[in-house]
Amino acid sequence: SLERRRCLYLHTGRACCQMMEVLLAALILVCSSVSGGSAGGYTGLPALGGIYYYQYGGAYSGFSGADGERAQQLDQRFYLLKLPIARAAMAVGGCLLVFPCVLILLGVLRVPWHFPPWLLIECALYIVIAVGIVPALYYFFHSLLSVYNSSVCKEREQLYQSKGYQGFWCSLHGAEIAAGVLGCMAAMAYLLSAGLAVRDYRRVHEQKQKPLQL
């Protein structure tokens, strides 16, 4: 009977929202890693893929002498400029991934039932995180745009375009935009979970007031 009650929690609305939050956080983590790990430009030979193409020097096949060395230097500097932003985004995505997992575990263990005030604490945490996502997204895009507007990115773009390579534009790419959209969706999911936590607190409080009907 106890195991059945624990499994029933996974069918509640709050648990469904928490599982959605886990999915969104995992996608944010993936998009952030793509933003930090990608050189943001030419993908190389279709048969080999971008990683192998860069590793074996094929991305610089159109360059010679000083231009090739300059391209490698600009790629490295551009990567180092984006790396702190990507790491910060991955850290936020990791925290957003762990938090709902912990709440799901607490729900399965029926902690909110034994300690109803926890639901109010959970609601407050949801609201704080949802509000905190807004400045986090602002910092994320503001920092990325600063990198793309830097002289390193502009020189890198011009150098690759002079050799006929496309895709080295100094603008946001799909993974970074997707991370922002997913962040907005996560904020809305947290606000919905906050409302569900308050609703469940009222229900638990009413049920504890009527033990004979249980």
Side-chain angles (χ1 to χ4, degrees), residues 22-165:
V22 171
L23 176 62
L24 291 173
L27 293 175
I28 291 174
L29 192 59
V30 171
C31 292
S32 302
S33 63
V34 170
S35 175
S38 173
Y42 190 68
T43 55
L45 294 175
L48 296 179
I51 297 177
Y52 296 99
Y53 201 56
Y54 269 95
Q55 183 176 357
Y56 292 108
Y60 308 108
S61 60
F63 296 93
S64 60
D67 286 342
E69 294 179 359
R70 185 57 179 167
Q72 293 182 12
Q73 292 175 0
L74 291 173
D75 277 348
Q76 185 177 11
R77 291 174 60 186
F78 180 71
Y79 171 76
L80 292 177
L81 286 175
K82 289 184 65 178
L83 185 60
I85 306 170
R87 286 181 173 175
M90 291 174 65
V92 172
C95 293
L96 294 179
L97 180 62
V98 172
F99 179 67
C101 290
V102 173
L103 295 182
I104 291 174
L105 178 61
L106 294 177
V108 170
L109 296 177
R110 294 174 60 80
V111 172
W113 171 258
H114 298 291
F115 184 64
W118 168 254
L119 289 170
L120 299 180
I121 299 175
E122 184 177 314
C123 174
L125 291 175
Y126 275 131
I127 294 175
V128 169
I129 294 175
V131 173
I133 288 177
V134 177
L137 288 175
Y138 171 79
Y139 170 79
F140 177 69
F141 285 111
H142 178 74
S143 301
L144 283 176
L145 291 176
S146 298
V147 172
Y148 287 129
N149 290 327
S150 64
S151 58
V152 174
C153 184
K154 297 297 183 182
E155 182 180 354
R156 177 174 176 268
E157 179 184 26
Q158 294 176 0
L159 181 59
Y160 276 100
Q161 285 184 351
S162 66
K163 301 300 181 180
Y165 289 136

Side-chain angles (χ1 to χ4, degrees), residues 174-198:
E176 295 162 350
I177 296 174
V181 174
L182 292 169
C184 294
M185 294 174 62
M188 292 186 290
Y190 279 119
L191 291 177
L192 177 59
S193 294
L196 293 176
V198 174

